[in-house]
Amino acid sequence: MKNPLFDSVEDLVLHRPPLLLLQSVSHWDVGHVEAIADPVDSYLFADGEGNVPAWVGLEYMAQAISAYAGIIARQNGEEPSIGFLLGTRRYDSHVDSFTPGQQLRVNVREVFRDENNLVLFDCDIHAGEDLLASAQVKAIQPKGAIQIKPDETFKEQ
């Protein structure tokens, strides 16, 4: 059955390959998104054996937050718009790197949102049943933020 809100993660996130690190959104509900990533798609960050450093997990989390914001925008009949990662607390990785072929499940859960659209998320990354990384991430999507279509380029006015 076709999803009524989006066909692919590219409909939700402004990144494009090779900087788009998510493959898909596998589940969402109020306050939560689960996205899928494969370290093979993160080849720009990989070492000679294809292993991706654990710190890239923060970008997986940030892109899953972007997908979450994109879903909210689509539900409101709007296009996804730019947001900003403000920081993280307690990024805790149980691995040194993510390995090629691992299917990573990136979960983000909204914990707090203020009137300025500053949002705190609890995030984690799993491979199978194994918890690989977790963090709290702060992000903001300012009201009236510039909406950029991925195929547009900046042009000097």
Side-chain angles (χ1 to χ4, degrees):
M1 184 170 90
K2 183 177 175 182
N3 183 315
L5 287 177
F6 59 94
D7 291 324
S8 76
V9 72
E10 289 186 5
D11 295 334
L12 304 172
V13 177
L14 298 178
H15 291 70
R16 290 295 174 262
L19 294 177
L20 176 60
L21 306 182
L22 301 181
Q23 290 184 332
S24 63
V25 170
S26 58
H27 175 78
W28 78 91
D29 55 33
V30 176
H32 170 253
V33 155
E34 180 179 89
I36 303 299
D38 182 336
V40 168
D41 297 328
S42 306
Y43 61 88
L44 289 177
F45 304 100
D47 65 16
E49 283 112 40
N51 297 311
V52 176
W55 54 262
V56 175
L58 183 57
E59 181 63 18
Y60 293 142
M61 293 172 183
Q63 289 189 23
I65 290 168
S66 182
Y68 172 77
I71 289 170
I72 292 171
R74 295 269 180 201
Q75 288 174 327
N76 292 326
E78 301 169 356
E79 290 294 315
S81 62
I82 195 166
F84 303 97
L85 183 142
L86 297 178
T88 184
R89 295 182 76 187
R90 296 186 290 271
Y91 181 75
D92 184 22
S93 178
H94 303 287
V95 295
D96 293 329
S97 61
F98 304 111
T99 58
Q102 269 183 320
Q103 184 182 63
L104 304 177
R105 291 188 339 271
V106 185
N107 287 283
V108 298
R109 287 168 214 81
E110 184 177 316
V111 175
F112 171 80
R113 179 182 298 265
D114 75 5
E115 65 278 356
N116 297 312
N117 226 17
L118 172 71
V119 190
L120 176 66
F121 292 91
D122 280 338
C123 306
D124 59 61
I125 301 173
H126 285 83
E129 296 300 315
D130 297 329
L131 175 64
L132 303 183
S134 61
Q136 284 192 325
V137 177
K138 288 183 188 175
I140 190 166
Q141 190 170 35
K143 291 178 172 89
I146 298 171
Q147 291 187 342
I148 302 169
K149 293 187 173 120
D151 56 347
E152 291 180 350
T153 58
F154 290 102
K155 296 179 183 171
E156 192 170 329
Q157 299 288 336

